Amino acid sequence: MSDPKKAADIISLENSSDKGFEEEWKIEVNEWVESLEAVKDSYGQKQVKELLRSLQNFALSQGITLTEATLNTPYRNSIPLSEQPSYPGNLDLEKKIENIIRWNAMAMVLQAYDTGEGLGGHIATYASAATMTEVALNHFIKSRSDDYQGDMMNIQAHASPGIYSRAFLEGRLTIEELGNFRRELQEDGGLPSYPHPRRRPELWPSPSASMGLNGVNSIYYARFAKYLKNRGLHSKDLGKIWAFLGDGEMDEPETIGTINIASREQLDNVIFVVNCNLQRLDGPVRGNGKIIQELEAVFRGSGWNVIKVIWGSEWDSLFSIDHNDVMQQRMDEVVDGEYQMYSVSSGEAQRAHWIKGNKELESIMSNLSDEELKDIKRGGFDHKKLYAAFDKAMKSNGKPTVLLVKTLKGYGLGEGSEGRNIAHQKKTMSDDERIEIAERLGIPLSNEDRKLAKFYVPDSNSEEMQYLHSRRKELGGYQPIRFNACENLKAPDIELFEDFVSGIDRSISTTLVLVRMISKMLRDEDIGKYIVPIVPDEARTFGMDGLFSQAGIYSPEGQNYQPVDAGTISPYKEAKDGQILQEGICEAGAMASFMAAGSAYSHFELPMIPFYIFYSIFGFQRVGDMIWACGDALTRGFLIGGTSGRTTLNGEGVQHQDGHSHVLASVVPNLMTYDPAFGFELAVIVQEGIRRMYQEQEDIFYYITVYNENYTHPPINDVTHDSILKGMYCFKRASKDLEDKYQGEPIHLLGSGSIMQQVIQAQQELEQEGIPTNIWSVTSYNLLHKDYQEARSEGKSSYLETILEDEQGHFISVSDWITLLPDSLAHLFPGTFTALGTDGFGLSESREALRNYFGISSQAIIDKAKELAK
Ligand SMILES: Cc1ncc(C[n+]2csc(CCOP(=O)(O)OP(=O)(O)O)c2C)c(N)n1
Ligand SMILES: [Mg+2]
């Protein structure tokens, strides 16, 4: 029956109430399948696809859409038994190693619990992920070698005990450290809860404890690897980026929202491994549905290779006799809530629910005893199925790959944990449970030691230990691993920025000064190639469009069209070796690019210098968690808050006008934050930033706010670099003549950023009225505060106290920021301290009206000064 028209007639019979229809239909379907099989045998897979596409086109022409059918495959393994490669490893030894790692991982958490300190820890996550992790580490995840840069292994944070446990066997951690899990301050060393590069810079390549960031960061690491390759900056094979993720974690919008860039940019160097244990913290991920099927459709729809590992080998023989797909249909209709229920039910109860009165299914299942049915494994615990899946993922060409691996939360931890809703929080076990698990895992410890959850240390000459080391040796070394060796980069001399240091007569904004500095750096012979300008869809807002043609926008495909502005001086230029990362409207992606570029010194051994320029309000409050993670990841580079200042960015209103990002930024401990007023300040700060981060390799990064108000910029004159960098210097003293005549207490005006212009104007007008004032430029309230904290802890005077030693009077701070920022230092000023700022929500108005409204205009400063001068 090869006439498609006839098939369409049959489809129209769909709703027929004819009892014989079902039988007839079954025969029809079988005939079609047989025909397709014949096509496959005679012509091959390609022709089968072509044929199906023709059929689909025909169906579409008849108004029948088949989207569901094309995005989802049945609920079974993607790799058929016939395509399953044979397992190349020694399964007995691998299982033995896995069991030891399982035990020690569990013991870490139990020991931490037994201290009675309430330290927490997770047992159930790794219990579900152990087999996939072991298969990956014994056979696939490679480390660094001469011509291979090495894979990056980003794990599911809550599975960390398993990774520590393995690293201990590998000789990378001491038994004391293992025993001090979650106790980092112990004398003989301890381990952080999760992957924190800051705490373990030799082990963890990137932080993943805040769920959802692992996926997006891994994708952008992979993209950055391609970027480096396409720009010719790296000659080695840059390896794969592995992200091990939880199924609950996949609900995070950062993960799902960025997967399409991976397929758009053909990132065949990224592999997601999703541990589908069907549970998150509180309960099932999709009790009423199927998370694996949902993710399959989402990823396939986004252009990924999807490989499902659902069933263990025991099911293969059952599939081979499921001639009428009755078992498959049941697999498809049972929902995750029920699969979870099976994991806590007896074999008998499972069978009854599963068969649901279907005779044919009952007969298929009669091949297994209740005991066997209970023990039948999910794919995530079957080494062979996992091997087949990883093997296929490694061969992907041109597409990212996701493995959806079905597991069981708390696997192997006994009835009190496996599949239970409380599994995630389970931190301890009874003595009996400990003994029983050790017995099952074959851990040769005495029952007394089992009760104490003592670590088991196999003999280093044992077969299993030899095997463990040899597998990793074969794959280039241990994983996960983080590298810290990158050549120092000599920072440019300040002369590179001479044009800005010596003053700018033309009226321009600090944003434009920065863009010009970037342009100069891009041209610099030594550092030019390392500069990575990153913009979400705002380059024009920041006047950066000129850089498009200078540096090109990175696109792995180059530019396959003539841009609409081809004839202009700054056309939209995309290029394979483009240097600018244009992220579109995706701050999460842009931040992930920042992290990838800013930690390229570690994984890629290249001192890349990212300048991520964004609307300042869409930084810390939008992707603050990612900035925090950058601090953890020891990321370097410059975050540039553009269009900053609640009144300087006028007209845009409540959700655009930023008057608080410096306060939010103040909480990141290794972030150097600056709010420069003049071109020369900006130049000194950027030059020093490059020196400290890339020449001295300090683990710090920068946040600098720039504004869009135009004004002229004075030369640096005798202002010292040090004072700019420390956070404050005297910009202009009051005129001596006036001071001699003046009777009141001295008045000091503190300005920063764009608002310095209001301060300068206020000073001039106050002088005309006979009131002398000193102007101080505050480049960083936050750093002054940081310095004060450090000095206090050392019992010294802070920088601020030192420079104000001989001062007194009234201090008025004026800025485009909320008063909390300067107020944190109020107690250090030798006199009265008043902060004028922009507390409250922004609103749409002109710049002048806004400054009047918030009380930071020159007039507001004059009024305050006069009040104090009385
Ligand atoms: C952003 C964020 N929200 C919440 C948490 C707390 N949390 C840690 S693990 C977890 C559940 C994880 O479930 P899943 O991703 O399915 O992993 P599993 O442990 O089941 O493998 C939650 C809610 C977190 N770490 N990060
Ligand atoms: Mg889960």
Side-chain angles (χ1 to χ4, degrees):
M1 204 217 55
S2 54
D3 180 1
K5 287 211 172 92
K6 199 170 165 205
D9 289 341
I10 298 261
I11 289 165
S12 73
L13 278 176
E14 225 167 73
N15 298 323
S16 163
S17 58
D18 181 357
K19 286 229 164 134
F21 168 73
E22 254 181 47
E23 275 309 303
E24 189 186 328
W25 179 238
K26 247 184 219 167
I27 296 166
E28 187 71 36
V29 170
N30 281 343
E31 280 179 12
W32 276 73
V33 172
E34 274 165 26
S35 308
L36 211 56
E37 198 173 14
V39 173
K40 183 185 159 226
D41 293 345
S42 316
Y43 301 98
Q45 287 194 1
K46 194 167 163 243
Q47 273 63 32
V48 173
K49 284 188 194 177
E50 219 166 83
L51 185 62
L52 289 174
R53 206 163 292 129
S54 306
L55 288 175
Q56 183 178 8
N57 287 345
F58 172 75
L60 281 172
S61 73
Q62 303 297 301
I64 303 160
T65 50
L66 295 168
T67 33
E68 316 85 338
T70 50
L71 290 178
N72 269 126
T73 58
Y75 197 60
R76 64 196 288 177
N77 297 342
S78 305
I79 301 170
L81 186 61
S82 57
E83 286 176 26
Q84 190 175 305
S86 60
Y87 198 78
N90 183 328
L91 265 176
D92 288 339
L93 286 179
E94 289 186 22
K95 284 180 186 170
K96 210 166 180 179
I97 295 166
E98 183 181 319
N99 285 350
I100 298 169
I101 295 175
R102 279 175 177 274
W103 171 260
N104 285 344
M106 190 181 87
M108 286 173 71
V109 181
L110 294 178
Q111 285 185 23
Y113 180 87
D114 292 347
T115 62
E117 304 276 355
L119 295 163
H122 299 85
I123 303 176
T125 301
Y126 179 69
S128 60
T131 312
M132 67 179 90
T133 311
E134 281 304 295
V135 172
L137 281 171
N138 279 323
H139 299 281
F140 296 100
I141 301 182
K142 292 206 253 170
S143 211
R144 192 165 286 186
S145 56
D146 286 349
D147 55 352
Y148 194 78
Q149 192 61 17
D151 292 355
M152 182 188 257
M153 182 184 184
N154 296 323
I155 72 146
Q156 224 188 323
H158 297 75
S160 62
I163 302 297
Y164 285 137
S165 171
R166 178 174 241 274
F168 165 65
L169 288 193
E170 290 166 344
R172 297 198 288 158
L173 295 176
T174 65
I175 198 159
E176 288 78 19
E177 287 173 312
L178 209 63
N180 287 329
F181 178 50
R182 293 186 166 224
R183 287 191 296 171
E184 296 182 71
L185 295 177
Q186 297 307 298
E187 223 170 81
D188 39 10
L191 298 172
S193 50
Y194 303 119
H196 297 299
R198 173 160 289 282
R199 305 302 311 167
R200 280 280 165 174
E202 78 295 352
L203 181 67
W204 297 121
S206 91
S208 58
S210 175
M211 320 232 81
L213 302 192
N214 195 3
V216 52
N217 288 338
S218 297
I219 287 173
Y220 281 82
Y221 269 116
R223 176 178 180 236
F224 199 70
K226 296 260 180 189
Y227 167 91
L228 294 175
K229 256 290 191 251
N230 280 325
R231 285 193 51 212
L233 290 178
H234 223 302
S235 53
K236 283 188 188 176
D237 181 336
L238 292 185
K240 304 250 183 231
I241 311 291
W242 297 80
F244 288 79
L245 304 153
D247 49 357
E249 181 173 17
M250 300 311 288
D251 281 345
E252 290 286 1
E254 286 91 346
T255 312
I256 291 297
T258 50
I259 59 173
N260 50 4
I261 193 173
S263 46
R264 199 189 315 139
E265 304 221 353
Q266 301 174 14
L267 303 183
D268 48 13
N269 54 342
V270 69
I271 300 176
F272 274 16
V273 185
V274 187
N275 173 8
C276 296
N277 55 23
L278 315 187
Q279 288 177 244
R280 48 189 174 206
L281 193 152
D282 287 338
V285 179
R286 292 289 183 275
N288 292 317
K290 285 225 242 332
I291 187 64
I292 291 180
Q293 298 300 87
E294 181 181 321
L295 292 175
E296 175 184 34
V298 170
F299 277 92
R300 184 161 295 123
S302 297
W304 285 54
N305 282 321
V306 180
I307 303 173
K308 297 194 288 189
V309 184
I310 299 182
W311 306 117
S313 300
E314 297 89 340
W315 289 97
D316 287 336
S317 53
L318 300 179
F319 273 118
S320 69
I321 52 172
D322 182 27
H323 303 300
N324 292 319
D325 276 353
V326 286
M327 188 172 77
Q328 183 64 61
Q329 272 172 28
R330 189 69 184 129
M331 284 171 168
D332 289 337
E333 75 190 19
V334 168
V335 293
D336 282 355
E338 292 170 312
Y339 280 119
Q340 188 190 350
M341 197 261 293
Y342 290 158
S343 65
V344 300
S345 310
S346 67
E348 192 187 352
Q350 271 188 58
R351 184 189 303 276
H353 187 279
W354 179 247
I355 287 167
K356 217 182 163 189
N358 183 315
K359 290 280 170 230
E360 196 173 344
L361 187 52
E362 184 177 0
S363 140
I364 293 173
M365 298 312 290
S366 66
N367 288 289
L368 297 180
S369 69
D370 285 349
E371 224 18 59
E372 286 167 333
L373 185 61
K374 176 80 193 146
D375 285 347
I376 199 162
K377 280 202 287 289
R378 293 183 177 180
F381 305 114
D382 188 314
H383 296 72
K384 292 178 184 167
K385 299 290 177 200
L386 285 163
Y387 183 90
F390 282 122
D391 185 57
K392 187 151 188 202
M394 296 297 286
K395 292 172 183 154
S396 168
N397 197 357
K399 274 184 175 192
T401 299
V402 60
L403 268 60
L404 302 173
V405 184
K406 185 166 176 166
T407 62
L408 176 59
K409 198 145 176 170
Y411 181 70
L413 300 177
E415 287 192 1
S417 309
E418 273 186 358
R420 302 274 169 193
N421 279 340
I422 48 89
H424 191 86
Q425 303 291 69
K426 182 112 174 170
K427 294 166 194 6
T428 189
M429 308 219 154
S430 68
D431 286 353
D432 286 348
E433 281 177 311
R434 295 175 189 207
I435 292 170
E436 199 262 315
I437 293 168
E439 193 60 41
R440 196 153 18 87
L441 294 176
I443 304 299
L445 289 174
S446 69
N447 279 353
E448 272 322 295
D449 285 350
R450 288 168 171 178
K451 281 193 228 166
L452 293 171
K454 287 258 174 86
F455 297 126
Y456 172 60
V457 190
D459 188 311
S460 58
N461 291 322
S462 64
E463 231 186 329
E464 60 269 24
M465 288 295 270
Q466 296 292 324
Y467 185 84
L468 172 123
H469 290 297
S470 74
R471 287 312 308 145
R472 286 314 314 167
K473 197 165 175 207
E474 172 89 20
L475 290 161
Y478 301 115
Q479 279 280 11
I481 190 163
R482 184 179 183 280
F483 297 95
N484 287 295
C486 179
E487 301 265 305
N488 292 349
L489 180 67
K490 193 183 160 324
D493 294 330
I494 192 72
E495 280 69 40
L496 180 66
F497 303 131
E498 182 56 28
D499 292 355
F500 317 110
V501 174
S502 56
I504 309 164
D505 290 338
R506 245 192 68 204
S507 182
I508 67 168
S509 65
T510 43
T511 306
L512 212 57
V513 174
L514 182 88
V515 172
R516 297 218 174 138
M517 285 172 63
I518 293 177
S519 174
K520 272 194 183 293
M521 287 186 276
L522 284 167
R523 279 196 213 102
D524 186 80
E525 233 176 70
D526 299 321
I527 64 164
K529 58 179 184 247
Y530 300 122
I531 303 290
V532 185
I534 304 172
V535 275
D537 196 24
E538 292 288 353
R540 289 181 201 282
T541 312
F542 304 129
M544 291 177 72
D545 33 335
L547 297 183
F548 289 169
S549 46
Q550 182 188 340
I553 295 165
Y554 172 68
S555 165
E557 290 165 301
Q559 190 163 41
N560 299 324
Y561 61 95
Q562 190 178 43
V564 65
D565 50 7
T568 66
I569 47 165
S570 53
Y572 197 81
K573 183 182 147 199
E574 299 193 64
K576 195 166 176 180
D577 61 353
Q579 201 160 346
I580 300 169
L581 291 175
Q582 160 63 270
E583 304 289 358
I585 312 169
C586 183
E587 280 78 13
M591 263 320 294
S593 277
F594 180 80
M595 185 192 274
S599 49
Y601 72 90
S602 162
H603 191 70
F604 301 112
E605 295 172 285
L606 285 172
M608 305 308 291
I609 311 173
F611 280 84
Y612 169 32
I613 302 154
F614 51 91
Y615 240 106
S616 71
I617 206 162
F618 303 131
F620 287 83
Q621 68 180 38
R622 178 90 190 202
V623 286
D625 196 25
M626 299 185 79
I627 298 175
W628 183 255
C630 283
D632 190 349
L634 309 170
T635 306
R636 298 169 189 166
F638 295 90
L639 293 169
I640 308 291
T643 54
S644 75
R646 185 152 285 155
T647 67
T648 306
L649 175 64
N650 57 347
E652 291 281 318
V654 177
Q655 287 186 304
H656 284 71
Q657 290 166 199
D658 168 32
H660 51 282
S661 64
H662 272 287
V663 175
L664 303 180
S666 72
V667 302
V668 183
N670 67 332
L671 188 64
M672 303 290 117
T673 66
Y674 286 101
D675 185 32
F678 303 119
F680 70 81
E681 292 179 354
L682 193 53
V684 168
I685 293 163
V686 170
Q687 192 268 345
E688 173 72 354
I690 297 178
R691 191 192 68 77
R692 287 184 67 182
M693 292 187 285
Y694 297 92
Q695 191 168 309
E696 303 302 324
Q697 304 226 29
E698 284 187 54
D699 291 318
I700 51 175
F701 64 135
Y702 281 68
Y703 177 55
I704 305 173
T705 40
V706 290
Y707 296 78
N708 64 355
E709 184 173 13
N710 295 328
Y711 49 84
T712 58
H713 299 253
I716 189 164
N717 291 334
D718 55 0
V719 178
T720 65
H721 289 201
D722 193 50
S723 64
I724 296 170
L725 298 168
K726 286 221 160 89
M728 179 165 144
Y729 63 91
C730 188
F731 172 66
K732 196 169 175 212
R733 283 283 171 192
S735 91
K736 202 81 196 101
D737 293 352
L738 209 55
E739 234 177 7
D740 292 343
K741 288 183 226 147
Y742 175 66
Q743 299 291 313
E745 288 275 303
I747 295 182
H748 305 270
L749 306 178
L750 277 57
S752 61
S754 234
I755 300 304
M756 180 58 100
Q757 300 303 308
Q758 302 299 311
V759 172
I760 292 171
Q761 199 184 329
Q763 189 202 41
Q764 285 167 3
E765 291 183 31
L766 282 164
E767 291 217 339
Q768 282 161 15
E769 297 191 37
I771 303 174
T773 58
N774 300 308
I775 299 182
W776 299 78
S777 176
V778 183
T779 51
S780 178
Y781 285 103
N782 284 332
L783 290 183
L784 290 174
H785 192 263
K786 213 171 263 188
D787 171 77
Y788 159 67
Q789 280 179 317
E790 279 168 18
R792 190 177 49 173
S793 69
E794 291 166 16
K796 293 189 198 151
S797 290
S798 65
Y799 169 75
L800 184 61
E801 287 163 303
T802 311
I803 58 169
L804 295 178
E805 217 162 42
D806 299 326
E807 311 291 342
Q808 52 170 314
H810 302 294
F811 294 83
I812 306 172
S813 133
V814 204
S815 79
D816 228 352
W817 306 100
I818 57 174
T819 51
L820 183 62
L821 186 68
D823 271 348
S824 63
L825 297 165
H827 60 294
L828 296 179
F829 286 85
T832 71
F833 185 83
T834 311
L836 305 181
T838 57
D839 293 16
F841 288 111
L843 52 93
S844 302
E845 251 304 347
S846 69
R847 199 171 273 161
E848 201 185 340
L850 285 169
R851 286 175 180 167
N852 286 331
Y853 174 81
F854 283 105
I856 58 163
S857 62
S858 59
Q859 191 55 51
I861 302 168
I862 291 166
D863 293 346
K864 184 46 85 184
K866 280 183 174 171
E867 185 190 315
L868 294 166
K870 276 183 196 153

